[in-house]
Amino acid sequence: MKRNIQALTALLLLPVFLMSGGCSVSRFRQPEEEKEETVKPAPQDTQPTDEETVYEADELLYEKQLDLPSGGVAATYRAALPQFKEEGNQGLILRKINEYYETELAALQQDCDSYFSRIQASYGDAWQTAVQPVADYHVDFSYELVQQSGGRISVVRTYRYVDTNVKDKVIYTAETFDCQTGWPEKLQDLFIEDKEKAQQAVTEQIEKWCGENGLEYSQLTPFTFEKQDGSFAISQDTLYLCMGESAISAQSAGGQLVKIPLENLESVLA
């Protein structure tokens, strides 16, 4: 369950060590604390209809900053994840999904410590005397609820950060939960039993998306559902595939969020 965030953490990590310059006190807001102090409204999906349940969400938020010893802010870190209101017949299922994101946020706290350690190390001996930050170092980990009704909750997460070479980076991850069980769905479950035909149809749509976005399709290994199982989302009309750097094109200098209209996959959807 943790493989997405573990992969993100590995991109930044050096061994975590205590920083002499100090970090400001972080705000780690738990959903069970009082609402007016702990949550912000999360993006909402379409308005509910009489036939479906819409799962309402608040926000689980973590914010922290790294301060220079002599003043100024060296880096900031912000991460937001959804927490669903555990109401009605689905309360226990929603608790399972909430626990998934609580675990993810705990992993992001470790990622924050590692990121700040790298930033501090990049200053070298100048850390103790620097008055102004050398760059706008920051991490912003946000999410979008692309579906939160009926039998499915689907989330796209965006991880934007500035690395120690002062380059902007972006990574996409996603989860799609079955609201009957609380477990993540697999991409293959969305398609017909003819796996080869379905994979070929998705591959053709990825190639089409590359052409429409100015990228030359040059995937080194064939697309498979297994490679994508843990990183996709689905809305009422779109399939979202979170692709890594160079996963679909040698021209891709970062993560890509491939968006495929479901109407283009009608012949192979289950």
Side-chain angles (χ1 to χ4, degrees):
M1 299 288 286
K2 297 182 181 179
R3 59 181 180 175
N4 287 341
I5 191 59
Q6 289 171 344
L8 298 179
T9 304
L11 294 172
L12 301 175
L13 301 185
L14 290 177
V16 178
F17 56 89
L18 296 177
M19 295 179 286
S20 59
C23 297
S24 65
V25 177
S26 61
R27 292 192 292 130
F28 186 18
R29 300 180 172 184
Q30 293 290 357
E32 62 269 19
E33 296 173 4
E34 291 187 8
K35 181 177 179 181
E36 62 269 23
E37 296 180 354
T38 64
V39 296
K40 297 179 181 179
Q44 296 297 310
D45 204 350
T46 55
Q47 293 297 315
T49 68
D50 293 337
E51 292 79 20
E52 66 181 16
T53 299
V54 173
Y55 306 105
E56 297 184 13
D58 292 319
E59 192 165 87
L60 188 63
L61 181 65
Y62 176 78
E63 292 180 316
K64 194 172 184 178
Q65 70 182 35
L66 172 64
D67 295 324
L68 293 165
S70 55
V73 178
T76 59
Y77 195 105
R78 182 186 188 278
L81 292 170
Q83 288 282 279
F84 296 91
K85 295 182 179 179
E86 300 168 18
E87 300 174 338
N89 296 333
Q90 300 297 93
L92 292 178
I93 297 298
L94 296 172
R95 169 93 296 265
K96 184 185 295 185
I97 296 172
N98 285 343
E99 288 173 350
Y100 176 95
Y101 285 115
E102 288 165 3
T103 300
E104 290 284 280
L105 197 64
L108 283 171
Q109 287 181 272
Q110 296 181 2
D111 180 66
C112 175
D113 290 339
S114 297
Y115 180 70
F116 284 177
S117 294
R118 292 198 64 178
I119 298 303
Q120 181 176 340
S122 71
Y123 278 77
D125 295 338
W127 172 256
Q128 293 295 332
T129 57
V131 176
Q132 297 295 328
V134 300
D136 180 22
Y137 290 118
H138 64 272
V139 168
D140 184 17
F141 198 104
S142 59
Y143 69 93
E144 178 185 2
L145 294 170
V146 297
Q147 188 168 341
Q148 60 190 100
S149 61
R152 181 179 287 138
I153 286 173
S154 203
V155 184
V156 173
R157 295 193 276 156
T158 305
Y159 184 88
R160 300 183 186 276
Y161 68 100
V162 176
D163 67 14
T164 54
N165 294 318
V166 199
K167 292 185 178 180
D168 293 311
K169 299 286 187 178
V170 62
I171 300 169
Y172 297 99
T173 59
E175 298 86 32
T176 296
F177 296 95
D178 182 340
C179 289
Q180 298 303 310
T181 65
W183 293 109
E185 292 186 352
K186 293 185 177 182
L187 181 59
Q188 185 174 345
D189 294 340
L190 304 179
F191 295 92
I192 59 176
E193 292 184 3
D194 190 339
K195 179 179 176 181
E196 184 175 345
K197 178 180 178 182
Q199 286 183 163
Q200 180 59 34
V202 175
T203 299
E204 291 172 358
Q205 291 301 312
I206 293 173
E207 185 173 3
K208 179 180 178 182
W209 182 90
C210 286
E212 292 171 347
N213 288 273
L215 297 173
E216 180 183 354
Y217 180 74
S218 54
Q219 199 168 34
L220 297 178
T221 58
F223 172 85
T224 65
F225 289 139
E226 289 79 7
K227 288 195 301 183
Q228 206 63 38
D229 263 344
S231 200
F232 77 94
I234 184 170
S235 68
Q236 300 292 343
D237 56 13
T238 305
L239 175 65
Y240 302 83
L241 301 177
C242 303
M243 314 295 284
E245 186 171 11
S246 302
I248 54 175
S249 173
Q251 298 173 318
S252 175
Q256 298 290 339
L257 183 62
V258 177
K259 301 179 182 180
I260 302 175
L262 292 184
E263 63 181 7
N264 295 352
L265 297 170
E266 284 183 354
S267 64
V268 293
L269 286 172

